[in-house]
Amino acid sequence: MPMGLKLNKEIAMNQTLSTYHMIMPKDLNPRGTLFAGSCANFMIEGGFLTAEAFLGHPHMVFFGMNGMKFVKSVEKGETVSVTGTVVDAGKTSLGVFVTVRFLHTKELAAQSYLTFVSIDENTGRPVPHGAKLDNLTEEMKAHQMTYRKLTAIRE
């Protein structure tokens, strides 16, 4: 973990954070529904904020997105919640499962697994973050297993 930085124990016990977005005309595709690129942006931002809260510092970079799946179209004017949950902690990386849900119905619109890498703020090189995940629920263990399968390096 970078010097002088400590894990945010309050978030680390829960590992989950939500943000909200109202879908505006700038977020739409030519069909008039949420553009996949805008949705990916919301997911990356929500995942980054989750990882930042978990580690207690913003010194990380987005590394990759895996298993992005759209379940239901989102229309202009809808409000969605973007919820990130830390499901895996490697030496320098964090795996975050992100969902996009309709605010009022909680219905799933999209989901993905994201990877963030902790970096030294001066050099930009990967550094160990020191985080560990303990006492995972069965649901979290299932997401961790899926994340690990999706992110495994294939030879």
Side-chain angles (χ1 to χ4, degrees), residues 131-147:
K132 291 188 179 0
L133 293 177
D134 298 318
N135 304 320
L136 296 178
T137 65
E138 290 305 312
E139 181 182 5
M140 298 260 304
K141 287 178 186 176
H143 283 302
Q144 184 180 64
M145 191 165 63
T146 300
Y147 170 81

Side-chain angles (χ1 to χ4, degrees), residues 56-123:
H57 68 81
H59 309 297
M60 71 194 84
V61 293
F62 171 67
F63 181 77
M65 176 179 273
N66 291 282
M68 188 172 185
K69 179 168 68 171
F70 293 92
V71 178
K72 186 168 181 179
S73 295
V74 181
E75 307 288 330
K76 179 178 75 172
E78 293 277 0
T79 299
V80 295
S81 65
V82 179
T83 302
T85 303
V86 177
V87 296
D88 197 49
K91 183 178 176 183
T92 63
S93 65
L94 280 182
V96 181
F97 176 62
V98 180
T99 60
V100 177
R101 295 182 179 276
F102 292 89
L103 179 63
H104 299 292
T105 66
K106 309 297 185 222
E107 190 175 4
L108 182 67
Q111 66 182 33
S112 188
Y113 293 87
L114 310 179
T115 302
F116 296 89
V117 175
S118 181
I119 60 168
D120 180 279
E121 66 181 300
N122 296 314
T123 66

